Amino acid sequence: MKIRPINHKKPSKIRELTYELKVEQVMCDDVITLSPDDTMNDVLRILRDNKIRGILVLDKDRLVGVVSIEDLISCLVDKGKLNEKIENRMTKDIVTVYSDESIVQVVNKFEDNGYGRFPVIDRDTKKLVGILTKGDIIDGLLEKLEIEYRQEEIHRYRASHIFEDVISDNSTLIMQYHIKGGDFKKAGEQTSKLRKNLLRLGIMPETIRRVAIASFEAEMNTVIYTPEGELIAKIQPDKITINTIDSGPGIPNIKQAMRQGYSTAPDWVRELGFGAGMGLPNIKNCSDEMKIKSKVGKGTDLQFIIYRRENET
Amino acid sequence: MKLSRIIQILDAKILCNVQGRLDSDIPMICGSDLMSDVLAFIKSGALLLTGLTTIQVVYTAENAGVNVVCFVRGKKPSKETVDLANEKKITLLTTNMSMFESCGKLYNNGLIGGSDYEN
C-alpha cells in the first residue's frame, strides 16, 4: 500500500480533508504494547491474535521502540530464536507524530521514513495516546467523506424538492432573520445564513449572487443606521422577494439617498468599507424591482425582487 | 495565473485555507477598500486585494463569489476574521507590499482588472 504525496493531482476534496482531519480523529487509541524484556515469541502471538502488523514497546511509561512484522521475519530469516528479547530486534529510532497534527503532515512522514506506523504523542503531556497506520488514515478519510456527502445530500435533496413536494397552486417559503443595529461583530451573518439556504434550495449561483449582494447591503444599512430590523425573504418558484423592515430614523429624501456617492454615514462606518453612498444603488442594480417606503421617525421598509429567470428545476 | 505564482509575486504569507487552491486559476484582480465597490464590480473568481481586515471583508468575499483575499501593507486580521474565513472556506493571504505596489506588480505580470475581463 502506498500513499501518494499530497502535492500530486488528486481530487481536491480529499486534499482538503487531509488538511482538516487531525491525527486524533483517525488514530487507534486502543494500543497494544509490550516491554523490551518480552520475547519475539510474544510478538508473533500478539500479531497473529490481533491481526496487526506492529507493536509499540514501552519501558514502564516510556516509549522505547517499535517492533513490526518485518522485524519478526528478519529474526526468522537470521535463524534467530523466537525467545530472543524484543530489545535486540526492535526499531529504536522512533518517529512519532502529535495527536493535533493534520493528516497532510503525517502522510508526508510516511513517505519520508518508509515506516508503516507511528506512535501518537500528546503535545502537552508528551504521553503516548495512540497509534496511527496508513489504514487508519484511509478509513478516516472515507468515513469523513461519506458523512459529509450524506449530510449535504440529505439537506440538499430535502430542500430542493420542497416546491415539488408541497402541492398547491402557489407555494411560498418565508424565512425571517432578525438584525441587531450597531452589532458589527455580526453584521453580514444573516445574509450568510440566507445564502446557505438558497444554495440548498438548488437556486442557480448567479441568482444567489444577486440576492446575496443586495441582501448584504440591506443588512449593512440596517446595522449601520437603525436600532434593529427584520430581514424577510420570500421564496417562490418564479421569484425571490426580500424586505428589510427597520424601526430606524427613516430616510428624509429617498431620491437623494438613491444617488450614487450620496451618503450620510459617519467616518467609523466608512472605515468598515461601507457608507460611501453605494448601498442602495447596488441593491437596485442587483434586483429587478425595488421599492422604498420610509417615514421619518418611524422606519423604513425596503423591498427588492429578483426573478428566477433560469430554468432552475 | 495560478494562485501559487501570485503568492510568489506578492511575496505573500498564507494565513489560512490555501489547501486545494494553489493550482487554481485566478483570472483577474480587484483592489479596493470600499466593500460596496467590491460588491458592485468584482467578478466571481477574482482575487481581492484590500487594506481592510474586518469580518465584513469575508462576508463580502462570500457573497461576491471571491475565494481568495490578500491583505496589503502586512496587515493581519483578527481571530474572528480568520475563524469566519475558515468557516466560509475563504483563503486569506497577507503581503508587506502596499496596495499600489501589489497592483502594479500583478498588472506587470499580465494580470488584469475586472473591466478588461470578458466572461
Side-chain angles (χ1 to χ4, degrees), chain A residues 37-96:
Chain A
D37 292 332
D38 291 326
T39 65
M40 293 306 280
N41 226 334
D42 297 318
V43 174
L44 172 65
R45 183 174 47 80
I46 288 182
L47 291 183
R48 193 184 50 205
D49 292 353
N50 296 284
K51 295 200 171 70
I52 54 175
R53 299 172 60 89
I55 306 165
L56 302 183
V57 186
L58 292 191
D59 187 5
K60 293 187 185 95
D61 254 1
R62 205 165 56 89
L63 183 67
V64 291
V66 180
V67 61
S68 69
I69 201 162
E70 285 82 11
D71 299 319
L72 184 65
I73 291 170
S74 74
C75 175
L76 293 170
V77 169
D78 294 349
K79 300 210 169 30
K81 298 204 172 69
L82 284 177
N83 57 9
E84 208 175 329
K85 278 190 181 173
I86 293 176
E87 199 171 13
N88 304 327
R89 286 291 174 179
M90 69 189 183
T91 306
K92 288 172 187 159
D93 180 20
I94 323 163
V95 181
T96 59

Coordinates of all heavy atoms in Angstrom, one line a residue, chain A residues 37-96:
Chain A
D37 N 11.7 -6.5 27.5 CA 12.1 -7.8 28.0 C 11.3 -8.9 27.5 O 11.6 -10.1 27.7 CB 12.1 -7.8 29.6 CG 13.1 -6.9 30.2 OD1 14.2 -6.7 29.5 OD2 12.9 -6.3 31.3
D38 N 10.1 -8.6 26.9 CA 9.3 -9.7 26.3 C 10.1 -10.2 25.1 O 11.0 -9.7 24.6 CB 7.9 -9.1 25.9 CG 7.1 -8.7 27.0 OD1 7.1 -9.4 28.1 OD2 6.3 -7.7 26.9
T39 N 9.6 -11.4 24.6 CA 10.3 -12.1 23.6 C 9.7 -12.0 22.2 O 8.5 -11.5 22.1 CB 10.4 -13.6 23.9 OG1 9.1 -14.1 23.8 CG2 11.1 -13.8 25.2
M40 N 10.4 -12.3 21.2 CA 9.8 -12.3 19.8 C 8.7 -13.3 19.7 O 7.8 -13.1 18.9 CB 10.9 -12.6 18.8 CG 12.0 -11.6 18.7 SD 11.3 -9.9 18.4 CE 11.0 -9.9 16.6
N41 N 8.6 -14.3 20.6 CA 7.5 -15.2 20.6 C 6.2 -14.5 21.0 O 5.2 -14.7 20.4 CB 7.8 -16.3 21.7 CG 7.5 -17.7 21.1 OD1 6.6 -17.8 20.2 ND2 8.1 -18.7 21.7
D42 N 6.4 -13.5 21.9 CA 5.2 -12.7 22.3 C 4.7 -11.9 21.1 O 3.5 -11.7 20.9 CB 5.6 -11.8 23.5 CG 5.9 -12.6 24.8 OD1 5.2 -13.6 25.0 OD2 6.9 -12.2 25.4
V43 N 5.7 -11.4 20.4 CA 5.4 -10.6 19.2 C 4.6 -11.4 18.2 O 3.5 -11.0 17.8 CB 6.7 -10.0 18.6 CG1 6.3 -9.3 17.3 CG2 7.4 -9.1 19.5
L44 N 5.1 -12.6 17.9 CA 4.4 -13.5 17.0 C 2.9 -13.7 17.4 O 2.0 -13.6 16.7 CB 5.2 -14.8 16.9 CG 4.5 -15.9 16.1 CD1 4.4 -15.5 14.6 CD2 5.2 -17.3 16.3
R45 N 2.8 -14.0 18.7 CA 1.5 -14.4 19.2 C 0.5 -13.2 19.1 O -0.6 -13.3 18.6 CB 1.6 -14.8 20.7 CG 0.3 -15.2 21.4 CD 0.6 -15.7 22.8 NE 1.5 -14.8 23.6 CZ 1.1 -13.7 24.2 NH1 -0.1 -13.4 24.2 NH2 2.0 -13.0 24.9
I46 N 1.0 -12.0 19.5 CA 0.1 -10.8 19.5 C -0.2 -10.4 18.1 O -1.4 -10.0 17.9 CB 0.8 -9.7 20.4 CG1 0.7 -10.1 21.9 CG2 0.0 -8.4 20.1 CD1 1.3 -9.1 22.8
L47 N 0.8 -10.4 17.2 CA 0.5 -10.0 15.9 C -0.6 -10.9 15.3 O -1.5 -10.5 14.6 CB 1.7 -10.1 15.0 CG 2.8 -9.0 15.3 CD1 4.0 -9.2 14.3 CD2 2.3 -7.6 15.3
R48 N -0.4 -12.2 15.5 CA -1.3 -13.2 15.0 C -2.7 -13.1 15.6 O -3.7 -13.0 14.9 CB -0.8 -14.6 15.2 CG -1.5 -15.7 14.4 CD -1.0 -17.1 14.8 NE -1.0 -17.2 16.2 CZ -0.1 -18.1 16.9 NH1 0.8 -18.8 16.3 NH2 -0.2 -18.2 18.2
D49 N -2.8 -13.0 16.9 CA -4.1 -12.9 17.6 C -4.9 -11.7 17.3 O -6.1 -11.7 17.2 CB -3.9 -13.0 19.1 CG -3.4 -14.4 19.5 OD1 -3.3 -15.3 18.7 OD2 -3.1 -14.6 20.7
N50 N -4.2 -10.6 17.1 CA -4.9 -9.3 16.8 C -4.9 -8.9 15.4 O -5.5 -7.8 15.1 CB -4.2 -8.2 17.7 CG -4.4 -8.5 19.2 OD1 -5.4 -8.3 19.7 ND2 -3.3 -9.0 19.8
K51 N -4.3 -9.7 14.5 CA -4.2 -9.4 13.1 C -3.7 -7.9 12.9 O -4.3 -7.1 12.2 CB -5.6 -9.5 12.4 CG -6.1 -10.9 12.4 CD -7.2 -11.1 11.4 CE -7.6 -12.5 11.2 NZ -8.4 -13.1 12.3
I52 N -2.6 -7.6 13.6 CA -2.0 -6.3 13.3 C -0.5 -6.6 12.8 O -0.1 -7.7 12.8 CB -1.9 -5.5 14.6 CG1 -1.3 -6.2 15.8 CG2 -3.3 -5.0 15.0 CD1 -1.1 -5.4 17.1
R53 N 0.1 -5.5 12.5 CA 1.5 -5.7 11.8 C 2.6 -5.0 12.6 O 3.7 -5.1 12.3 CB 1.4 -5.1 10.4 CG 0.4 -5.8 9.5 CD 0.3 -5.1 8.2 NE 1.6 -5.0 7.5 CZ 2.0 -6.0 6.7 NH1 1.2 -7.0 6.4 NH2 3.2 -5.9 6.1
G54 N 2.2 -4.4 13.7 CA 3.3 -3.7 14.5 C 2.9 -3.5 16.0 O 1.7 -3.3 16.2
I55 N 3.8 -3.4 16.9 CA 3.5 -3.2 18.3 C 4.5 -2.2 18.9 O 5.7 -2.2 18.5 CB 3.7 -4.6 19.1 CG1 2.8 -5.7 18.4 CG2 3.2 -4.4 20.5 CD1 3.2 -7.1 18.9
L56 N 4.0 -1.3 19.7 CA 4.8 -0.4 20.4 C 5.5 -1.0 21.6 O 4.9 -1.8 22.3 CB 4.0 0.9 20.8 CG 3.3 1.6 19.7 CD1 2.6 2.8 20.3 CD2 4.3 2.0 18.6
V57 N 6.7 -0.6 21.9 CA 7.4 -1.2 23.0 C 7.6 -0.1 24.1 O 8.2 0.9 23.8 CB 8.8 -1.8 22.6 CG1 9.5 -2.5 23.7 CG2 8.6 -2.7 21.4
L58 N 7.1 -0.4 25.3 CA 7.2 0.6 26.4 C 8.1 0.0 27.5 O 7.9 -1.1 27.9 CB 5.8 0.9 26.9 CG 4.8 1.7 26.1 CD1 3.6 2.1 27.0 CD2 5.4 2.9 25.4
D59 N 9.0 0.9 28.0 CA 9.7 0.6 29.2 C 9.0 1.4 30.3 O 9.3 2.6 30.4 CB 11.2 0.9 29.0 CG 12.0 0.4 30.2 OD1 11.4 -0.2 31.1 OD2 13.2 0.8 30.2
K60 N 8.2 0.7 31.1 CA 7.3 1.4 32.0 C 6.4 2.4 31.2 O 5.7 1.9 30.4 CB 8.1 2.1 33.1 CG 8.8 1.1 34.0 CD 9.4 1.7 35.3 CE 10.1 0.7 36.0 NZ 11.6 0.6 35.7
D61 N 6.6 3.7 31.4 CA 5.7 4.6 30.7 C 6.4 5.2 29.4 O 5.8 5.8 28.6 CB 5.3 5.8 31.6 CG 3.9 5.7 32.0 OD1 3.2 4.7 31.6 OD2 3.4 6.6 32.8
R62 N 7.7 4.8 29.3 CA 8.5 5.5 28.2 C 8.5 4.6 27.0 O 8.7 3.4 27.0 CB 9.9 5.7 28.7 CG 10.7 6.8 28.1 CD 11.9 7.1 28.9 NE 12.7 5.9 29.1 CZ 13.7 5.5 28.3 NH1 14.0 6.3 27.2 NH2 14.4 4.4 28.5
L63 N 8.2 5.3 25.8 CA 8.2 4.6 24.5 C 9.7 4.4 24.1 O 10.5 5.4 24.0 CB 7.5 5.5 23.5 CG 7.4 5.0 22.1 CD1 6.4 3.8 22.1 CD2 6.9 6.1 21.2
V64 N 10.1 3.2 23.9 CA 11.5 2.9 23.6 C 11.7 2.2 22.2 O 12.8 2.2 21.7 CB 12.2 2.0 24.7 CG1 12.3 2.7 26.0 CG2 11.4 0.7 24.9
G65 N 10.6 1.8 21.6 CA 10.8 1.2 20.3 C 9.5 0.7 19.6 O 8.4 0.8 20.2
V66 N 9.7 0.3 18.4 CA 8.5 -0.3 17.7 C 9.0 -1.6 17.1 O 10.1 -1.7 16.5 CB 8.1 0.6 16.5 CG1 6.9 0.0 15.7 CG2 7.7 2.0 17.0
V67 N 8.2 -2.7 17.3 CA 8.6 -3.9 16.7 C 7.5 -4.3 15.7 O 6.3 -4.2 16.0 CB 8.8 -5.0 17.8 CG1 7.6 -5.3 18.6 CG2 9.3 -6.3 17.1
S68 N 7.9 -4.7 14.5 CA 6.9 -4.9 13.4 C 7.0 -6.3 12.8 O 8.0 -7.1 13.2 CB 7.0 -3.9 12.3 OG 8.2 -4.2 11.6
I69 N 6.1 -6.7 12.0 CA 6.1 -8.0 11.3 C 7.4 -8.2 10.5 O 8.0 -9.3 10.5 CB 4.9 -8.2 10.4 CG1 4.6 -9.6 10.2 CG2 5.0 -7.4 9.2 CD1 3.2 -9.9 9.7
E70 N 8.0 -7.1 10.0 CA 9.2 -7.1 9.3 C 10.4 -7.6 10.2 O 11.3 -8.3 9.8 CB 9.6 -5.8 8.7 CG 8.8 -5.4 7.4 CD 7.4 -4.8 7.7 OE1 7.2 -4.5 8.9 OE2 6.6 -4.7 6.8
D71 N 10.4 -7.0 11.5 CA 11.4 -7.4 12.4 C 11.3 -8.9 12.8 O 12.3 -9.6 12.9 CB 11.3 -6.6 13.7 CG 11.5 -5.1 13.5 OD1 12.4 -4.8 12.7 OD2 10.7 -4.3 14.0
L72 N 10.0 -9.4 12.8 CA 9.8 -10.8 13.1 C 10.3 -11.7 12.0 O 11.0 -12.7 12.2 CB 8.3 -11.1 13.3 CG 7.9 -12.5 13.8 CD1 8.4 -12.8 15.1 CD2 6.4 -12.6 13.8
I73 N 10.0 -11.3 10.8 CA 10.5 -12.0 9.6 C 12.0 -12.0 9.6 O 12.7 -13.1 9.4 CB 9.9 -11.4 8.3 CG1 8.4 -11.7 8.2 CG2 10.6 -12.0 7.1 CD1 7.7 -10.9 7.1
S74 N 12.7 -10.9 9.8 CA 14.1 -10.9 9.7 C 14.7 -11.7 10.8 O 15.8 -12.3 10.7 CB 14.7 -9.4 9.7 OG 14.6 -8.9 10.9
C75 N 14.1 -11.8 11.9 CA 14.5 -12.6 13.0 C 14.5 -14.1 12.6 O 15.4 -14.8 12.9 CB 13.6 -12.4 14.3 SG 13.9 -13.4 15.7
L76 N 13.4 -14.5 11.9 CA 13.3 -15.8 11.5 C 14.3 -16.1 10.4 O 14.9 -17.2 10.3 CB 11.9 -16.1 11.0 CG 10.8 -16.1 12.0 CD1 9.4 -16.1 11.4 CD2 11.0 -17.2 13.0
V77 N 14.5 -15.2 9.4 CA 15.4 -15.3 8.3 C 16.9 -15.5 8.9 O 17.6 -16.3 8.4 CB 15.3 -14.1 7.4 CG1 16.5 -14.2 6.4 CG2 14.0 -14.2 6.6
D78 N 17.2 -14.7 9.9 CA 18.5 -14.8 10.5 C 18.7 -16.1 11.3 O 19.7 -16.2 12.1 CB 18.7 -13.6 11.5 CG 18.8 -12.3 10.8 OD1 18.9 -12.3 9.5 OD2 18.7 -11.2 11.4
K79 N 17.7 -16.9 11.3 CA 17.7 -18.1 12.1 C 17.8 -17.8 13.6 O 18.4 -18.5 14.4 CB 18.8 -19.1 11.7 CG 18.7 -19.6 10.2 CD 19.2 -21.0 10.1 CE 18.9 -21.6 8.7 NZ 18.8 -20.8 7.6
G80 N 17.3 -16.6 13.9 CA 17.3 -16.2 15.3 C 16.3 -17.0 16.1 O 15.4 -17.7 15.5
K81 N 16.4 -16.9 17.3 CA 15.4 -17.7 18.1 C 14.3 -16.8 18.5 O 14.4 -15.6 18.8 CB 16.2 -18.2 19.4 CG 17.3 -19.1 19.0 CD 17.6 -20.1 20.2 CE 18.6 -21.2 19.7 NZ 20.0 -20.6 19.5
L82 N 13.1 -17.4 18.6 CA 11.9 -16.7 19.0 C 11.9 -16.3 20.5 O 11.1 -15.5 20.9 CB 10.6 -17.4 18.6 CG 10.3 -17.4 17.1 CD1 9.1 -18.2 16.8 CD2 10.1 -16.0 16.6
N83 N 12.8 -16.9 21.2 CA 12.9 -16.5 22.7 C 13.8 -15.3 22.9 O 14.1 -14.9 24.0 CB 13.2 -17.7 23.6 CG 14.5 -18.3 23.2 OD1 15.3 -17.8 22.4 ND2 14.8 -19.5 23.8
E84 N 14.3 -14.8 21.8 CA 15.2 -13.6 21.8 C 14.4 -12.4 22.4 O 13.2 -12.3 22.1 CB 15.7 -13.2 20.4 CG 17.0 -12.5 20.5 CD 17.5 -12.3 19.0 OE1 17.2 -13.2 18.1 OE2 18.2 -11.3 18.8
K85 N 15.0 -11.5 23.1 CA 14.3 -10.4 23.7 C 14.0 -9.4 22.6 O 14.8 -9.2 21.6 CB 15.2 -9.7 24.7 CG 15.1 -10.3 26.1 CD 15.8 -9.4 27.1 CE 15.8 -10.1 28.5 NZ 16.6 -9.3 29.4
I86 N 12.9 -8.7 22.7 CA 12.4 -7.7 21.7 C 13.5 -6.6 21.6 O 13.8 -6.2 20.5 CB 11.1 -7.1 22.2 CG1 10.0 -8.2 22.1 CG2 10.7 -5.9 21.3 CD1 8.6 -7.7 22.6
E87 N 14.1 -6.3 22.7 CA 15.1 -5.2 22.8 C 16.1 -5.3 21.6 O 16.5 -4.3 21.1 CB 15.8 -5.2 24.1 CG 16.5 -4.0 24.5 CD 16.9 -4.0 25.9 OE1 16.9 -5.1 26.6 OE2 17.3 -2.9 26.4
N88 N 16.5 -6.5 21.3 CA 17.5 -6.7 20.3 C 17.0 -6.6 18.9 O 17.8 -6.5 17.9 CB 18.2 -8.1 20.5 CG 18.8 -8.2 21.9 OD1 19.2 -7.3 22.5 ND2 18.7 -9.5 22.4
R89 N 15.7 -6.7 18.7 CA 15.2 -6.7 17.3 C 14.3 -5.5 17.0 O 14.0 -5.3 15.8 CB 14.3 -8.0 17.3 CG 15.0 -9.3 17.2 CD 15.8 -9.4 15.9 NE 16.6 -10.6 15.8 CZ 17.3 -10.8 14.7 NH1 17.3 -10.1 13.6 NH2 18.1 -11.9 14.7
M90 N 13.9 -4.7 18.0 CA 13.0 -3.6 17.7 C 13.7 -2.4 17.0 O 15.0 -2.3 17.1 CB 12.3 -3.2 19.0 CG 13.3 -2.4 19.9 SD 12.5 -2.1 21.5 CE 13.8 -1.2 22.3
T91 N 12.9 -1.6 16.4 CA 13.5 -0.3 15.8 C 13.5 0.7 17.0 O 12.5 1.0 17.6 CB 12.5 0.2 14.7 OG1 12.3 -0.9 13.8 CG2 13.1 1.4 14.0
K92 N 14.7 1.2 17.3 CA 14.8 2.1 18.4 C 14.7 3.6 17.9 O 14.5 4.5 18.7 CB 16.1 1.9 19.1 CG 16.1 0.6 19.9 CD 17.4 0.3 20.5 CE 17.4 -1.1 21.1 NZ 18.7 -1.7 21.3
D93 N 15.0 3.7 16.6 CA 14.9 5.1 16.0 C 13.5 5.4 15.7 O 13.0 5.2 14.6 CB 15.8 5.0 14.8 CG 15.8 6.4 14.1 OD1 15.6 7.4 14.8 OD2 16.1 6.4 12.9
I94 N 12.8 5.9 16.8 CA 11.3 6.1 16.6 C 10.9 7.4 16.1 O 11.5 8.5 16.5 CB 10.6 5.9 17.9 CG1 11.2 4.8 18.8 CG2 9.1 5.6 17.7 CD1 10.8 4.9 20.2
V95 N 10.0 7.5 15.1 CA 9.5 8.7 14.7 C 8.0 8.8 15.2 O 7.3 7.9 14.9 CB 9.5 8.8 13.1 CG1 8.9 10.2 12.7 CG2 10.9 8.7 12.6
T96 N 7.7 9.8 15.9 CA 6.4 9.9 16.5 C 5.6 11.1 15.8 O 6.3 11.9 15.1 CB 6.4 10.2 18.0 OG1 7.1 11.5 18.2 CG2 7.1 9.1 18.7

